[in-house]
Amino acid sequence: MTAVRLHAGRLLRRVPIRQILVLLPLALVVLVAVRHRTVLAEGIGHLATAKWPWLLAAAGATCLTWVAAAVTRQGAVVDRLPRLRLLVTQFAAGSANHLLPTGLGASAVNLRFMTVCGLPLARSSAALALYLLAESVARVGLLAALLIAFPHALQLGPLLPDGAWGPLLLVIGAVVVVVVALFALVRRLRAAVLSFLRTALGEARSVHTRPSRALALWGGSIAFPVLQAAGLVLVGMALGLDVPPAHMALAYLAATVAVALVPTPGGLGSVEAALIVALVAAGGPVAVATAVVLAYRIITVWLPLLPGALTLGALVRFKVI
């Protein structure tokens, strides 16, 4: 038995794991592109009819989202992170985020990056949680502010079936009950969660004692969804969507908050559907709203996907992550 284990260990060491990890993002890009080839073709067709200055501005807003993400990541930790590598990692993390479900790709890439930079795993995890919390609070806060400013911008009544809210609230309630029960009954889980919360609260206190870090954390968290919404608004203007810009931004925030818990890679499929519904609810024609969403996703997801995957492979190859 010992000889078999030694032989298996030698075989495992011979497997070029790092080389496989370098090529894996490219393989996933090809797979995702083949699965969504119809959407890609239709979106590219709509881009050909758009006003290019607005599209270039949308591409610029998309590039700035990586800067905002890097600023927020730095604001979540007291330690200084290498700026250029941090920025490049956010670009690569965006690609990973579209290949794995519910933000796992970006979280894994950034967690690995911080640990390689010397942060202990517990503090890296706490910084990741603080980033996600700040971004969520900023996104929901912006949505609430726009809903207060424009209470009649979204007309969801005709789009939602009668009685849709009841089952939705039941599902949410059931999830809450299950989480509370697991926390109360499973001692090891409770101990792990409480230990993590103590670490996370300590990290949050340390960050907020430094004004530059707190400004980076919350400023970047607000700028990130604002730039994303601005990208959609600019694409809408490029394709002549007859919806006020503030209403388009509200539609974007409402759609992304609604699909935040849907476990699909990068929201592929679910985000498109939610954005179309939200733009129609804001008063846009279905055909034009569909064209805007497809063109927007081409710019923000599909165009950066391949270079992002190549960058991710390079970061793995040179042991940055």
Side-chain angles (χ1 to χ4, degrees):
M1 182 65 70
T2 303
V4 172
R5 289 180 178 175
L6 289 174
H7 181 65
R10 284 195 295 268
L11 287 176
L12 185 60
R13 284 192 293 270
R14 291 177 184 174
V15 175
I17 296 177
R18 186 164 290 275
Q19 285 78 2
I20 292 172
L21 290 175
V22 168
L23 296 175
L24 183 59
L26 297 177
L28 289 175
V29 168
V30 173
L31 177 62
V32 172
V34 169
R35 289 183 58 191
H36 296 84
R37 58 187 179 277
T38 304
V39 174
L40 275 170
E42 191 171 351
I44 291 172
H46 290 307
L47 285 175
T49 65
K51 298 175 182 177
W52 283 96
W54 294 115
L55 292 184
L56 291 175
T62 299
C63 294
L64 289 175
T65 59
W66 303 319
V67 177
V71 170
T72 311
R73 299 283 183 187
Q74 177 61 84
V77 293
V78 175
D79 309 69
R80 181 177 292 278
L81 300 173
R83 294 179 181 177
L84 181 59
R85 280 186 285 168
L86 176 61
L87 179 59
V88 173
T89 300
Q90 300 320 301
F91 177 56
S95 179
N97 209 42
H98 296 305
L99 300 175
L100 293 174
T102 57
L104 292 177
S107 298
V109 169
N110 279 286
L111 189 63
R112 177 64 182 167
F113 172 73
M114 287 186 285
T115 54
V116 168
C117 288
L119 272 71
L121 181 59
R123 289 189 57 211
S124 299
S125 303
L128 180 62
L130 182 58
Y131 169 87
L132 294 174
L133 176 63
E135 203 276 333
S136 300
V137 169
R139 188 176 296 269
V140 173
L142 286 170
L143 174 60
L146 286 176
L147 283 173
I148 292 172
F150 307 99
H152 304 296
L154 297 181
Q155 302 297 326
L156 293 175
L159 299 173
L160 292 177
D162 293 335
W165 287 108
L168 178 61
L169 293 176
L170 284 175
V171 170
I172 294 174
V175 171
V176 171
V177 169
V178 170
V179 171
V180 172
L182 287 174
F183 186 78
L185 298 175
V186 182
R187 181 178 297 178
R188 289 185 179 179
L189 176 63
R190 184 167 65 251
V193 170
L194 290 176
S195 175
F196 173 76
L197 287 176
R198 283 193 292 269
T199 303
L201 289 173
E203 192 72 17
R205 281 194 296 268
S206 299
V207 164
H208 285 88
T209 59
R210 301 186 62 176
S212 61
R213 291 292 186 267
L215 179 62
L217 175 65
W218 293 105
S221 296
I222 294 172
F224 187 71
V226 167
L227 288 167
Q228 288 181 318
L232 180 66
V233 170
L234 291 166
V235 174
M237 297 174 72
L239 289 171
L241 181 62
D242 190 19
V243 175
H247 293 192
M248 280 192 271
L250 174 56
Y252 174 82
L253 292 170
T256 53
V257 169
V259 301
L261 299 178
V262 177
T264 59
L268 292 176
S270 58
V271 169
E272 284 87 348
L275 282 173
I276 293 170
V277 168
L279 288 176
V280 172
V286 175
V288 182
T290 303
V292 167
V293 170
L294 292 177
Y296 173 73
R297 294 292 275 178
I298 289 287
I299 292 173
T300 58
V301 176
W302 294 105
L303 289 181
L305 196 57
L306 181 58
L310 291 171
T311 303
L312 181 59
L315 293 178
V316 173
R317 174 68 178 82
F318 294 108
K319 300 182 180 181
V320 176
I321 59 174

